[in-house]
Amino acid sequence: MSRSFLRDTDFSPAEAAEVFALASRYKKLRASGIIDILRGESWGLLFFKKSTRTRLSFEVGVHELGGHPVMMNASELQISRGETIEDTARIMGRFLHGIVIRTFGQEIVDEFARASGLPVVNALTDLLHPCQSYTDMFTMMERFGGSSPSAEALKGRKLAFFGDTACNMAYSLALAGAMFGVEVSLCGPEEFKPAAILNKLFEDARLAPTWTFTSDPEAASRGADVLYTDVWVSMGKEDEKAERIKIMSPYQVNERLFSLAKKGAVFMHCLPAHSGEEVSEGVLRGDRSIVFDQAENRLHVQKAIISKLVQENGGKSS
Ligand code: CP
Ligand code: NVA
């Protein structure tokens, strides 16, 4: 089985720091053209859920690494007519050199990695969104790291996450934050507080669970370097929309909450945003918002993640 990136902790902090250093190089060198790490390779991009940033950044990224991206919507494959994940994965293992997957259950990416034998990248599951959390750490590193940013710049930073603290972004930020010494405060209603699975993820990775939970948004904002939010209604939770909006409305990131944060604090959001729900229009579009840098950095960081996997799997990825 090849090495994959299915959970935030699948790279050690030292390896993740190498990913960030490579992402910085890719960002600087982007104009100088194609890198041939994936020359002759075809990487599948398999999506069971909708996407704008992830789809685009992986398609462009695989191309810029010299490979051929093969975009697949699960609804157009035989898997939507009952072909098993195991058989689909085994077939992909015969054609492709790696697979990027956005899907529902975490067990689906695990099964693809096992049955295909290929390196698999988790491009969001219901449980985790590790490509986004790595990008967020990288973006914070750039923002707080001065002229030669390194992962050291993350140590002791305070990130407050507001809203649905039982969602994939909250869990991935808790994990990635702990890897880099970022103090992550998850803040939202008790009804959507983190489930026991979050501590199980820490336990499995032998990582100390450094995250905290509060339902008090003012307490979470005070002294924070980053105010972060995500949609209140994640993909697949549409049936709970009315209830979620009602319960989460006290957790909107707005100017009042921002006034309690540290001077120089920034606003982050994985996007897509629902202005007027989880974030006010003023904060989303204001000069403290770095959401478009975050979005751009998906490209550089994911190219580095793929490159690191290829290197760890012994050069060419099969
Ligand atoms: N942030 C993120 O993953 O965006 P998409 O859903 O558009 O891919
Ligand atoms: N929590 C969101 C993230 C979107 C990038 C979702 O799963 O829909």
Side-chain angles (χ1 to χ4, degrees), residues 253-305:
V253 178
N254 52 33
E255 288 76 355
R256 191 184 51 77
L257 213 53
F258 230 102
S259 67
L260 302 170
K262 208 179 260 177
K263 197 167 170 284
V266 292
F267 172 69
M268 297 179 76
H269 191 313
C270 56
L271 302 181
H274 289 81
S275 178
E277 287 184 15
E278 73 274 8
V279 58
S280 67
E281 179 68 7
V283 168
L284 178 64
R285 314 267 164 222
D287 57 8
R288 301 285 198 84
S289 171
I290 57 171
V291 298
F292 292 102
D293 295 331
Q294 266 176 280
E296 181 201 316
N297 283 338
R298 294 288 302 276
L299 172 68
H300 313 301
V301 172
Q302 289 163 187
K303 281 166 69 179
I305 289 170

Side-chain angles (χ1 to χ4, degrees), residues 134-295:
Y134 270 44
T135 302
D136 298 336
M137 293 297 138
F138 176 81
T139 308
M140 285 169 62
M141 186 186 101
E142 282 186 329
R143 184 72 185 194
F144 300 123
S147 53
S148 52
S150 80
E152 283 297 304
L154 297 171
K155 280 213 178 87
R157 294 286 164 187
K158 291 185 168 54
L159 182 152
F161 176 94
F162 297 91
D164 177 7
T165 64
C167 83
N168 43 19
M169 273 319 310
Y171 290 1
S172 272
L173 287 168
L175 286 164
M179 288 171 67
F180 294 106
V182 175
E183 292 174 30
V184 176
S185 167
L186 301 177
C187 176
E190 291 281 340
E191 292 87 334
F192 293 96
K193 71 190 286 188
I197 182 80
L198 180 55
N199 277 339
K200 174 84 170 56
L201 287 164
F202 275 93
E203 210 180 292
D204 290 347
R206 296 191 174 83
L207 185 64
T210 51
W211 60 276
T212 54
F213 174 81
T214 174
S215 53
D216 177 351
E218 297 193 356
S221 285
R222 255 178 235 119
D225 296 286
V226 176
L227 300 195
Y228 197 118
T229 190
D230 183 10
V231 290
W232 290 337
V233 186
S234 284
M235 290 179 276
K237 304 286 182 194
E238 289 79 5
D239 291 351
E240 301 170 9
K241 185 172 177 184
E243 184 205 359
R244 283 171 168 264
I245 290 181
K246 192 163 145 231
I247 298 179
M248 293 194 205
S249 59
Y251 297 93
Q252 183 190 73
V253 178
N254 52 33
E255 288 76 355
R256 191 184 51 77
L257 213 53
F258 230 102
S259 67
L260 302 170
K262 208 179 260 177
K263 197 167 170 284
V266 292
F267 172 69
M268 297 179 76
H269 191 313
C270 56
L271 302 181
H274 289 81
S275 178
E277 287 184 15
E278 73 274 8
V279 58
S280 67
E281 179 68 7
V283 168
L284 178 64
R285 314 267 164 222
D287 57 8
R288 301 285 198 84
S289 171
I290 57 171
V291 298
F292 292 102
D293 295 331
Q294 266 176 280

Side-chain angles (χ1 to χ4, degrees), residues 19-222:
V19 166
F20 295 166
L22 187 56
S24 286
R25 281 214 295 285
Y26 283 162
K27 188 167 182 172
K28 278 195 203 92
L29 295 175
R30 186 168 179 221
S32 62
I34 302 283
I35 300 153
D36 71 353
I37 281 175
L38 299 184
R39 190 170 47 195
E41 296 203 356
S42 295
W43 277 60
L45 312 180
L46 175 58
F47 283 72
F48 291 73
K49 290 180 174 177
K50 299 204 185 314
S51 168
T52 298
R53 280 143 288 270
T54 307
R55 181 200 159 147
L56 269 168
S57 53
F58 272 110
E59 205 163 338
V60 171
V62 168
H63 165 72
E64 290 185 1
L65 292 174
H68 171 59
V70 182
M71 181 64 204
M72 295 171 283
N73 279 317
S75 62
E76 291 164 3
L77 302 187
Q78 296 288 13
I79 206 168
S80 67
R81 298 178 62 246
E83 187 166 24
T84 63
I85 293 191
E86 158 123 26
D87 287 357
T88 307
R90 287 182 68 172
I91 296 304
M92 289 188 183
R94 299 292 178 108
F95 294 125
L96 300 169
H97 299 87
I99 325 175
V100 172
I101 306 177
R102 167 167 287 195
T103 189
F104 294 89
Q106 182 72 19
E107 68 285 356
I108 299 175
V109 288
D110 291 343
E111 173 75 351
F112 263 101
R114 189 194 61 72
S116 71
L118 299 175
V120 171
V121 176
N122 177 353
L124 181 147
T125 59
D126 291 343
L127 187 67
L128 297 170
H129 196 0
C131 289
Q132 182 72 54
S133 67
Y134 270 44
T135 302
D136 298 336
M137 293 297 138
F138 176 81
T139 308
M140 285 169 62
M141 186 186 101
E142 282 186 329
R143 184 72 185 194
F144 300 123
S147 53
S148 52
S150 80
E152 283 297 304
L154 297 171
K155 280 213 178 87
R157 294 286 164 187
K158 291 185 168 54
L159 182 152
F161 176 94
F162 297 91
D164 177 7
T165 64
C167 83
N168 43 19
M169 273 319 310
Y171 290 1
S172 272
L173 287 168
L175 286 164
M179 288 171 67
F180 294 106
V182 175
E183 292 174 30
V184 176
S185 167
L186 301 177
C187 176
E190 291 281 340
E191 292 87 334
F192 293 96
K193 71 190 286 188
I197 182 80
L198 180 55
N199 277 339
K200 174 84 170 56
L201 287 164
F202 275 93
E203 210 180 292
D204 290 347
R206 296 191 174 83
L207 185 64
T210 51
W211 60 276
T212 54
F213 174 81
T214 174
S215 53
D216 177 351
E218 297 193 356
S221 285
R222 255 178 235 119

